[in-house]
Amino acid sequence: NNSAAAAYWGVRRRALIRYRPALQAIKVLVESASLHGRSALPILNAIAATMSVRDRATMSGEFPKSPPGQALRDRLEAGRRIAQSCVTNVFGDSANNAAMATSLGTVLAIGVYEGALLTRPGALGRARFCFRYGAAQVLPSVIWLTKPARTCCEAWRVEAKPLLREVSPRRELKVLGAQTLRSIVAGFLGIAQVMRLVDSSAAAASDYDERVRNGHEPLFETGVQERVVRLAGRESDVTELSVRRFGAHIVPVFEDFSLPSVRRTLAAARTAGSGVDTPFGWHVPDGAYSKMESWGVPPPTVDRDGDGTADYDLSRAAFRVKREWLLPNGPNRRALVVEADSSVGEQALALGAEGADDLTLQECSQGFRLVERLATEQKALQADDAVIRVMLADASRQIRSGGGAAMSLRALVEEHDEADIIIDASAPLIHSIVAWAETTGSGRYLLFKTENSEYYASVRSSLKARGWRVADFEGASTKQRKSLPVLVYEETTEDSVNSIESLLRKNEVNSSMVCALLDSVSGVDEL
């Protein structure tokens, strides 16, 4: 019962999240529906409809739920940083501070002169009164007001008769002239500072947004438990999907924040987070993973090891690794997980031969070591903790040395201990294609639509080794197109989506027997 499932999930959602083993009940529910010949999709949709984006990472049992009020804390932290930047902009300019001090000093001096005009020469306490009177007129002068001298005397409990003098018309004109002059000076000063404050506030907010969009703003240090650092290279489709699923639990490190795929990841991070411009990742330039400046480490100033040269202090780096990021790894032990997507950009799941990896093995190794050093220096990583290095790559790809010796990527990584876990980026895809094709009952024969000859040769060779025949879609007859499974994999995700739409619009294929290989999860949304 779909409505009952939705109601059950709405009531039990918190309990299911807190007690992760109970999630098995959902799996049993779905499997039961499938065994009885009913679609499990309505049940899953009913469950998902009652979930917030923040809960989806928790439903999988991968990460703990964010504490209540996290969105509000994110907004307050963003506001605090913008306000701090605004104050720095306003009061960090020495020339502006000097001009403001001169203006305030001028207003104060005019007020003291005005007090002297109103008091008797030689009266007891005259100098003190004149200074206090001048200081009291500074703020009212901005809006052309004056605190009367007699009112000041009463407020300060000073006897007015022996202190204040009778003011002649000529002296009163001098007093009014002084009041006018200080009001003009203070008025312009006040207006200028208000305008400067408004401009600085807008500039601070704009600069903050720019730093977030470019990966230069340090991540917020409170709220999110258990985070995984992901070296994503120039672009990473699998990272976009990970951020959609797990939100702030993934900390991506990109080389270029201006790319559309990275912008999509930023949008996914905003959806999974508080909805404000929350720092979600970090920018490291291509080939600069071992440079301290890439991770926001200040220039060296102090000789820390006594060798006569200044050393970098990684504990002061802008990229902060908190102990809360580490995942449980046994009693009183935790593990820092650092992942690297070494597949190739838009073709992150490409089957064809590629010229070079997006993230090279050297960059992965340098990134792994730098993140571990940062965590150690910042006291996030302790003696009994572990660092787990995970690499996504084409494990069977051959790498040749300068002398011509060839070695697979997996063998090279294992020989030099460059990673603890290697996830093959191509073999699971071939396995998934075969698993899908077997459900069509086509007799181990399928059609492949692509304009890339390398893709065609690679898929054909891989499937042939598993007992499948692959034929070119363009050379197939109308009957074959209707009866055989069709695999579509074009140069880009957009091309693959467009090909699928064209085939279905013209009714060239059986919609239940067509499969698109998509590098980017955005293609799933389009379809």
Side-chain angles (χ1 to χ4, degrees), residues 434-446 468 483-486 512-514:
V434 171
W436 161 76
E438 287 177 346
T439 64
T440 63
S442 59
R444 308 183 74 80
Y445 187 31
L446 62 80
W468 280 80
S483 60
L484 294 176
V486 178
S512 64
M513 298 180 67
V514 63

Side-chain angles (χ1 to χ4, degrees), residues 118-447:
L118 296 172
T119 53
R120 301 177 185 275
L124 183 65
R126 184 191 186 200
R128 184 170 183 269
F129 174 83
C130 290
F131 182 82
R132 293 183 69 183
Y133 177 84
Q137 306 303 330
V138 172
L139 192 58
S141 298
V142 177
I143 53 175
W144 290 69
L145 288 181
T146 299
K147 294 181 179 179
R150 292 190 179 278
T151 302
C152 291
C153 287
E154 293 176 2
W156 300 334
R157 297 181 180 181
V158 175
E159 192 173 351
K161 188 173 182 179
L163 181 63
L164 300 182
R165 70 193 306 173
E166 295 294 330
V167 181
S168 65
R170 177 174 293 184
R171 185 173 292 273
E172 185 174 2
L173 287 177
K174 291 182 179 181
V175 172
L176 292 175
Q179 292 175 355
T180 302
L181 181 59
R182 66 174 167 78
S183 295
I184 291 174
V185 175
F188 280 112
L189 170 66
I191 293 173
Q193 289 306 312
V194 168
M195 294 300 296
R196 180 175 177 81
L197 182 62
V198 171
D199 291 341
S200 297
S201 300
S206 177
D207 291 344
Y208 172 81
D209 292 341
E210 189 69 18
R211 291 195 303 271
V212 170
R213 287 194 296 268
N214 292 331
H216 295 149
E217 181 68 20
L219 277 67
F220 294 164
E221 297 186 11
T222 58
V224 182
Q225 304 287 322
E226 299 184 15
R227 309 182 82 169
V228 174
V229 180
R230 173 77 60 78
L231 307 180
R234 220 170 148 266
E235 54 183 340
S236 171
D237 301 311
V238 70
T239 299
E240 180 184 350
L241 180 60
S242 298
V243 170
R244 285 196 183 199
R245 289 178 173 173
F246 306 121
H249 293 287
I250 304 297
V251 181
V253 179
F254 282 107
E255 296 175 359
D256 188 351
F257 271 65
S258 65
L259 297 176
S261 61
V262 180
R263 296 295 187 187
R264 287 197 304 267
T265 307
L266 172 60
R270 286 172 56 89
T271 302
S274 61
V276 300
D277 277 333
T278 303
F280 83 104
W282 191 256
H283 171 253
V284 172
D286 184 20
Y289 287 85
S290 62
K291 294 183 178 179
M292 300 297 174
E293 297 82 0
S294 301
W295 303 91
V297 181
T301 55
V302 180
D303 181 9
R304 304 176 65 198
D305 53 12
D307 62 355
T309 60
D311 302 305
Y312 286 100
D313 185 0
L314 276 68
S315 64
R316 298 171 56 203
F319 185 86
R320 310 293 301 174
V321 180
K322 306 298 290 183
R323 182 157 181 80
E324 292 77 14
W325 291 17
L326 277 62
L327 277 64
N329 190 35
N332 300 321
R333 294 184 179 182
R334 304 185 73 83
L336 173 65
V337 179
V338 188
E339 301 175 342
D341 178 11
S342 186
S343 53
V344 185
E346 164 64 21
Q347 307 298 332
L349 297 179
L351 301 176
E354 300 291 342
D357 288 334
D358 180 3
L359 196 65
T360 66
L361 181 58
Q362 287 290 345
E363 290 174 326
C364 293
S365 178
Q366 293 168 20
F368 289 155
R369 290 192 172 97
L370 237 300
V371 173
E372 181 177 357
R373 287 184 61 188
L374 288 167
T376 303
E377 290 286 335
Q378 294 169 8
K379 309 302 182 184
L381 199 63
Q382 298 180 0
D384 293 334
D385 297 330
V387 178
I388 301 177
R389 303 162 298 168
V390 185
M391 180 182 294
L392 172 68
D394 184 357
S396 61
R397 188 173 70 86
Q398 295 296 304
I399 297 178
R400 294 189 177 275
S401 66
M407 180 181 293
S408 70
L409 177 65
R410 178 182 294 277
L412 188 63
V413 169
E414 292 176 348
E415 180 178 340
H416 297 287
D417 190 29
E418 300 291 3
D420 303 299
I421 300 172
I422 303 175
I423 301 177
D424 197 317
S426 59
L429 180 55
I430 294 295
H431 175 77
S432 298
I433 294 173
V434 171
W436 161 76
E438 287 177 346
T439 64
T440 63
S442 59
R444 308 183 74 80
Y445 187 31
L446 62 80
L447 303 178

Side-chain angles (χ1 to χ4, degrees), residues 3-27:
S3 59
Y8 174 77
W9 178 251
V11 173
R12 298 294 296 168
R13 178 164 58 93
R14 292 178 181 269
L16 286 173
I17 289 171
R18 183 174 180 182
Y19 302 104
R20 297 181 186 178
L23 291 173
Q24 185 68 19
I26 298 295
K27 182 178 179 182

